[in-house]
Amino acid sequence: MWAFRRSSSSLKKQKFISGSSRVSCTTNEVTGRYSEGNSVGISNEISNRSLSFRGFCKTAHGSSKLFLGRQNFSSLVGTKTSSEIDSDLDDGFSELEGPTETEIMIETNGEDELVSECVLSGDDVEMPQDNKKSMELLKAITAAPVLGIDRVMDKWVEKGNDLTRREITLTMRYLRNRHMYGRALQLSEWLESKKQLIFTEREYAAHVDLVAKVHGLQKAEIYIERVPKSFRSEEVYQSLLANYASKGYMKKSEEIFNKMRDLGLPITNFACSHLLLLYKRIDKKKIPVVLSIMEKENMKRTDFIYQILIDAKGQSNDIAGMEQIVETMKSEGIEPKMSTKSIMAKHYIFAGLVGKAENVLKQMEGEIKEDSFAFRHLLALYAALKKADDVHRIWKLCEPNARTDECMAAIEAFAKLRKIEEAEAIFDKMSKEGKTLTSKHYYPLLRAYASHNMLEKGKDLVKRMSESGCPIGPLTWDGLIRLYIKAGELEKADSILQKAAQHAHLKPKFISYTAMMDEYAKRGDIHNSEKMFYQMKKAGYDRRIHQYKCLIQAYINAKAPCYGIADRMKADNVFPNRALANMLSKSDPFKKTAVSEFLN
């Protein structure tokens, strides 16, 4: 968790605004060089003198504002395919610890974990087994009907039970860690209405986060208006900012950031980190503006902020720039953590620099005793390198005391290597340890069956889940959808998605919709691609590049004109990256060719 750093109130006068100008930036060890260009961008107030922080200089314009145009990392050593670029932009991974094993091999829903971890600082807390009262309360809450938490809490108090702040904190964290956000929100609402807990800035911030997760971002904004003004602190607004940023709403995130400054609230590393994460995913050319704000206000870069910058360079295939950032990080006395090294190794692998990746992996192996996440990272990375012997070797070291997350990482690694029997054996080991398995634990094996077109085994695994009493939710739906897509049964996969979308309290994952839409696009099925596009918007998955990529690809494959697509993107505030711009050019029904110009 990042420490909240209070910066000067002078930041409140700075704003993100639209405009266009020309920018020249020098190559440096942190950010590299950005090319000139023009587009709608964001700016902050900066003096006419050269910027003092590393890597960016002001052009001689006479203007006191820096406008960022259509810029990209320039010192590229190569370019990724359009699918890799879109994957970088649209994944939903938790980015607090860098790439875990799932970031390389499967997509998971980490957005909620990202925001929750930011709202609730501190280590993951398990309910103490010796706290009998707390355990009884937790069991009552988890066993209650979906809308029955108030009744449970009323009875609890009627029996003369006290509620301490520690018990409430432990219970809330337990519910959050298990994604029981609806129950956590009901508990928070009961505590507030019954005045069983004096709400501080922290409790209000956590409540905003829960409202955003359960009822949506607009409801969270409305709730903030109910918060007493004296408690509308930076923590409360940062909670809202984190949720908007994690969902990819760039314009709204910038509005909240500006509002915080208008209110004179301190701008912290927390807020800047979320903007950097957002821009890393959607619009890397805006990264320098955040860095300039941090530099101007003497906000020290944390190891996590460096991690974001390293990953951004790696995503742009600027390996030299990535390495320069690492050196700068070290020069400031911050040694790369295991998660940072994992990011570096991942990008070395994608860039084909196997030797450099192996050197980083050797360093990581030397830190196994100091970092409990080492096995997860190493299993995933060796699998990405197709090094089966090393995956076996790391698993043998890990196996005697393997935790569930390490077992899941091993399942994914062996599945990546097409060693399904080994993956099944590890799953059996995990299931026999006596711990209650959730859909999260079944998902890696289910996804492996889908990847290798093992429909019957996948169906049997889902039956096993149901028989064990494991709730069927978004992860399981996603696995089933992929099973049927791989088997060529697209109508069945679509039917599962439609039924899942009708669920009252859960919605299918973004990647479930895109899996369907990708398949329809491959077939040139415009009707169903448009249907899926509409359903994704209805489910709240809008303003993402990948949706437009799939839709345009469907028109291209169908050899049909794609009228008005640019206007639709503009209305949704979606701005194309290089890959999408090329697709737009191909699909333009009015595109001129050498022959058409000659005939005209």
Side-chain angles (χ1 to χ4, degrees), residues 192 204 207-209 211-212 215-228 232 236-237 240 244 252 256 259:
E192 185 180 17
Y204 281 120
H207 194 98
V208 168
D209 176 56
V211 172
H215 298 305
L217 294 161
Q218 290 182 338
K219 294 287 186 182
E221 284 198 72
I222 293 170
Y223 174 78
I224 287 179
E225 296 303 314
R226 288 176 43 205
V227 175
R232 293 181 199 171
V236 171
Y237 283 102
L240 184 64
Y244 268 115
K252 194 66 181 178
I256 296 167
K259 184 173 183 178

Short mmCIF file of all heavy atoms in Angstrom, two decimals, residues 192 204 207-209 211-212 215-228 232 236-237 240 244 252 256 259:
data_model
loop_
_atom_site.label_atom_id
_atom_site.label_comp_id
_atom_site.label_asym_id
_atom_site.label_seq_id
_atom_site.Cartn_x
_atom_site.Cartn_y
_atom_site.Cartn_z
N GLU A 192 -23.62 2.41 9.94
CA GLU A 192 -23.81 3.86 9.82
C GLU A 192 -25.19 4.28 10.32
O GLU A 192 -25.32 5.24 11.09
CB GLU A 192 -23.62 4.29 8.37
CG GLU A 192 -23.69 5.79 8.16
CD GLU A 192 -23.51 6.20 6.71
OE1 GLU A 192 -23.66 5.33 5.82
OE2 GLU A 192 -23.23 7.39 6.47
N TYR A 204 -15.71 6.24 5.61
CA TYR A 204 -16.47 6.82 4.50
C TYR A 204 -15.83 6.43 3.16
O TYR A 204 -16.52 6.14 2.18
CB TYR A 204 -16.55 8.33 4.64
CG TYR A 204 -17.59 8.81 5.63
CD1 TYR A 204 -17.22 9.56 6.74
CD2 TYR A 204 -18.94 8.50 5.45
CE1 TYR A 204 -18.18 10.00 7.66
CE2 TYR A 204 -19.90 8.93 6.36
CZ TYR A 204 -19.51 9.68 7.47
OH TYR A 204 -20.46 10.09 8.37
N HIS A 207 -16.68 2.94 2.39
CA HIS A 207 -18.10 2.83 2.01
C HIS A 207 -18.30 3.28 0.56
O HIS A 207 -19.06 2.66 -0.19
CB HIS A 207 -18.95 3.68 2.96
CG HIS A 207 -20.42 3.39 2.88
ND1 HIS A 207 -21.06 2.56 3.77
CD2 HIS A 207 -21.37 3.80 2.00
CE1 HIS A 207 -22.35 2.47 3.46
NE2 HIS A 207 -22.56 3.22 2.38
N VAL A 208 -17.64 4.35 0.16
CA VAL A 208 -17.72 4.81 -1.23
C VAL A 208 -17.27 3.71 -2.18
O VAL A 208 -17.89 3.45 -3.22
CB VAL A 208 -16.84 6.07 -1.43
CG1 VAL A 208 -16.68 6.39 -2.93
CG2 VAL A 208 -17.46 7.26 -0.71
N ASP A 209 -16.19 3.04 -1.81
CA ASP A 209 -15.67 1.95 -2.64
C ASP A 209 -16.69 0.83 -2.78
O ASP A 209 -16.90 0.30 -3.88
CB ASP A 209 -14.38 1.42 -2.01
CG ASP A 209 -13.82 0.22 -2.75
OD1 ASP A 209 -13.57 0.35 -3.97
OD2 ASP A 209 -13.62 -0.84 -2.12
N VAL A 211 -20.02 1.03 -2.40
CA VAL A 211 -21.16 1.50 -3.20
C VAL A 211 -20.82 1.43 -4.68
O VAL A 211 -21.64 1.00 -5.51
CB VAL A 211 -21.55 2.93 -2.80
CG1 VAL A 211 -22.61 3.48 -3.75
CG2 VAL A 211 -22.08 2.97 -1.37
N ALA A 212 -19.60 1.85 -5.03
CA ALA A 212 -19.18 1.81 -6.43
C ALA A 212 -19.18 0.39 -6.97
O ALA A 212 -19.58 0.14 -8.11
CB ALA A 212 -17.79 2.42 -6.57
N HIS A 215 -23.35 -0.89 -6.52
CA HIS A 215 -24.41 -0.12 -7.18
C HIS A 215 -23.93 0.73 -8.35
O HIS A 215 -24.76 1.30 -9.07
CB HIS A 215 -25.12 0.78 -6.16
CG HIS A 215 -25.80 0.03 -5.06
ND1 HIS A 215 -26.74 -0.95 -5.30
CD2 HIS A 215 -25.67 0.10 -3.71
CE1 HIS A 215 -27.17 -1.45 -4.15
NE2 HIS A 215 -26.54 -0.83 -3.17
N GLY A 216 -22.63 0.84 -8.54
CA GLY A 216 -22.12 1.60 -9.67
C GLY A 216 -21.50 2.92 -9.26
O GLY A 216 -21.70 3.43 -8.15
N LEU A 217 -20.76 3.50 -10.18
CA LEU A 217 -19.97 4.70 -9.89
C LEU A 217 -20.82 5.94 -9.67
O LEU A 217 -20.50 6.79 -8.83
CB LEU A 217 -18.99 4.93 -11.04
CG LEU A 217 -17.92 3.83 -11.16
CD1 LEU A 217 -17.28 3.85 -12.55
CD2 LEU A 217 -16.86 4.00 -10.08
N GLN A 218 -21.93 6.07 -10.40
CA GLN A 218 -22.78 7.24 -10.22
C GLN A 218 -23.40 7.27 -8.83
O GLN A 218 -23.51 8.32 -8.19
CB GLN A 218 -23.87 7.28 -11.29
CG GLN A 218 -23.33 7.57 -12.68
CD GLN A 218 -24.42 7.65 -13.73
OE1 GLN A 218 -25.51 7.12 -13.53
NE2 GLN A 218 -24.14 8.33 -14.83
N LYS A 219 -23.81 6.09 -8.34
CA LYS A 219 -24.37 6.00 -6.98
C LYS A 219 -23.31 6.37 -5.95
O LYS A 219 -23.61 6.98 -4.92
CB LYS A 219 -24.89 4.59 -6.72
CG LYS A 219 -26.07 4.18 -7.57
CD LYS A 219 -27.34 4.89 -7.14
CE LYS A 219 -28.55 4.35 -7.91
NZ LYS A 219 -29.79 5.07 -7.54
N ALA A 220 -22.06 6.01 -6.22
CA ALA A 220 -20.98 6.35 -5.30
C ALA A 220 -20.79 7.86 -5.23
O ALA A 220 -20.56 8.43 -4.15
CB ALA A 220 -19.69 5.67 -5.74
N GLU A 221 -20.90 8.54 -6.38
CA GLU A 221 -20.80 10.00 -6.40
C GLU A 221 -21.93 10.63 -5.60
O GLU A 221 -21.73 11.61 -4.87
CB GLU A 221 -20.81 10.51 -7.83
CG GLU A 221 -19.52 10.32 -8.58
CD GLU A 221 -19.41 11.21 -9.80
OE1 GLU A 221 -19.23 12.43 -9.63
OE2 GLU A 221 -19.51 10.67 -10.92
N ILE A 222 -23.13 10.09 -5.75
CA ILE A 222 -24.28 10.61 -5.02
C ILE A 222 -24.08 10.43 -3.52
O ILE A 222 -24.39 11.32 -2.72
CB ILE A 222 -25.58 9.92 -5.48
CG1 ILE A 222 -25.89 10.29 -6.94
CG2 ILE A 222 -26.75 10.28 -4.57
CD1 ILE A 222 -27.01 9.49 -7.56
N TYR A 223 -23.51 9.28 -3.14
CA TYR A 223 -23.28 9.02 -1.71
C TYR A 223 -22.32 10.05 -1.12
O TYR A 223 -22.50 10.49 0.02
CB TYR A 223 -22.75 7.60 -1.50
CG TYR A 223 -22.36 7.35 -0.05
CD1 TYR A 223 -23.33 7.08 0.91
CD2 TYR A 223 -21.02 7.41 0.35
CE1 TYR A 223 -22.99 6.88 2.24
CE2 TYR A 223 -20.67 7.21 1.68
CZ TYR A 223 -21.65 6.94 2.62
OH TYR A 223 -21.31 6.76 3.93
N ILE A 224 -21.29 10.42 -1.89
CA ILE A 224 -20.31 11.39 -1.38
C ILE A 224 -20.99 12.70 -0.97
O ILE A 224 -20.59 13.35 0.00
CB ILE A 224 -19.21 11.65 -2.43
CG1 ILE A 224 -18.29 10.43 -2.53
CG2 ILE A 224 -18.38 12.89 -2.07
CD1 ILE A 224 -17.18 10.56 -3.56
N GLU A 225 -22.05 13.08 -1.69
CA GLU A 225 -22.77 14.31 -1.35
C GLU A 225 -23.45 14.20 0.02
O GLU A 225 -23.76 15.22 0.64
CB GLU A 225 -23.81 14.63 -2.43
CG GLU A 225 -23.21 14.92 -3.80
CD GLU A 225 -22.21 16.05 -3.76
OE1 GLU A 225 -22.53 17.09 -3.14
OE2 GLU A 225 -21.10 15.91 -4.34
N ARG A 226 -23.67 12.95 0.46
CA ARG A 226 -24.28 12.75 1.79
C ARG A 226 -23.25 12.74 2.90
O ARG A 226 -23.60 12.86 4.08
CB ARG A 226 -25.02 11.40 1.80
CG ARG A 226 -26.31 11.38 1.00
CD ARG A 226 -26.90 9.98 1.00
NE ARG A 226 -26.84 9.38 2.33
CZ ARG A 226 -26.84 8.05 2.54
NH1 ARG A 226 -26.87 7.23 1.51
NH2 ARG A 226 -26.79 7.58 3.77
N VAL A 227 -21.99 12.57 2.54
CA VAL A 227 -20.92 12.55 3.55
C VAL A 227 -20.76 13.94 4.13
O VAL A 227 -20.71 14.93 3.38
CB VAL A 227 -19.59 12.08 2.92
CG1 VAL A 227 -18.45 12.18 3.93
CG2 VAL A 227 -19.72 10.66 2.39
N PRO A 228 -20.71 14.07 5.46
CA PRO A 228 -20.50 15.40 6.05
C PRO A 228 -19.27 16.08 5.45
O PRO A 228 -18.24 15.44 5.23
CB PRO A 228 -20.27 15.07 7.54
CG PRO A 228 -20.99 13.78 7.75
CD PRO A 228 -20.82 13.01 6.47
N ARG A 232 -15.21 14.89 3.92
CA ARG A 232 -14.95 14.70 2.48
C ARG A 232 -13.48 14.98 2.20
O ARG A 232 -13.11 15.98 1.58
CB ARG A 232 -15.85 15.60 1.65
CG ARG A 232 -17.33 15.25 1.74
CD ARG A 232 -18.15 16.18 0.86
NE ARG A 232 -19.55 16.18 1.26
CZ ARG A 232 -20.47 17.02 0.77
NH1 ARG A 232 -20.10 17.93 -0.13
NH2 ARG A 232 -21.71 16.96 1.19
N VAL A 236 -11.64 10.02 0.65
CA VAL A 236 -12.96 9.75 0.10
C VAL A 236 -12.96 9.92 -1.41
O VAL A 236 -13.44 9.05 -2.16
CB VAL A 236 -14.01 10.67 0.76
CG1 VAL A 236 -15.36 10.54 0.04
CG2 VAL A 236 -14.17 10.34 2.23
N TYR A 237 -12.39 11.02 -1.90
CA TYR A 237 -12.35 11.26 -3.34
C TYR A 237 -11.39 10.31 -4.06
O TYR A 237 -11.63 9.91 -5.20
CB TYR A 237 -11.98 12.72 -3.63
CG TYR A 237 -13.13 13.67 -3.41
CD1 TYR A 237 -13.20 14.44 -2.25
CD2 TYR A 237 -14.15 13.78 -4.35
CE1 TYR A 237 -14.27 15.30 -2.04
CE2 TYR A 237 -15.22 14.64 -4.14
CZ TYR A 237 -15.28 15.40 -2.98
OH TYR A 237 -16.35 16.24 -2.78
N LEU A 240 -13.15 7.14 -4.94
CA LEU A 240 -13.95 7.28 -6.16
C LEU A 240 -13.05 7.31 -7.39
O LEU A 240 -13.32 6.65 -8.40
CB LEU A 240 -14.79 8.55 -6.09
CG LEU A 240 -15.75 8.80 -7.25
CD1 LEU A 240 -16.83 7.72 -7.30
CD2 LEU A 240 -16.40 10.19 -7.11
N TYR A 244 -13.07 4.74 -10.72
CA TYR A 244 -13.21 5.21 -12.11
C TYR A 244 -11.99 4.83 -12.93
O TYR A 244 -12.10 4.38 -14.07
CB TYR A 244 -13.40 6.73 -12.14
CG TYR A 244 -14.84 7.17 -12.11
CD1 TYR A 244 -15.36 7.89 -11.03
CD2 TYR A 244 -15.70 6.87 -13.17
CE1 TYR A 244 -16.69 8.29 -11.01
CE2 TYR A 244 -17.03 7.27 -13.16
CZ TYR A 244 -17.53 7.97 -12.07
OH TYR A 244 -18.85 8.36 -12.06
N LYS A 252 -13.52 11.05 -16.71
CA LYS A 252 -14.12 11.19 -15.38
C LYS A 252 -13.04 11.15 -14.29
O LYS A 252 -13.12 11.89 -13.31
CB LYS A 252 -15.13 10.05 -15.15
CG LYS A 252 -16.03 10.29 -13.96
CD LYS A 252 -16.96 11.47 -14.18
CE LYS A 252 -17.84 11.71 -12.97
NZ LYS A 252 -18.71 12.88 -13.15
N ILE A 256 -12.32 14.15 -11.47
CA ILE A 256 -12.24 13.96 -10.02
C ILE A 256 -10.90 14.47 -9.49
O ILE A 256 -10.82 15.12 -8.44
CB ILE A 256 -12.45 12.48 -9.65
CG1 ILE A 256 -13.86 12.03 -10.04
CG2 ILE A 256 -12.22 12.26 -8.15
CD1 ILE A 256 -14.06 10.54 -10.02
N LYS A 259 -11.13 18.12 -9.35
CA LYS A 259 -12.02 18.56 -8.28
C LYS A 259 -11.30 18.53 -6.93
O LYS A 259 -11.48 19.43 -6.10
CB LYS A 259 -13.26 17.67 -8.23
CG LYS A 259 -14.28 18.14 -7.19
CD LYS A 259 -15.58 17.36 -7.28
CE LYS A 259 -16.61 17.90 -6.28
NZ LYS A 259 -17.90 17.19 -6.39
#
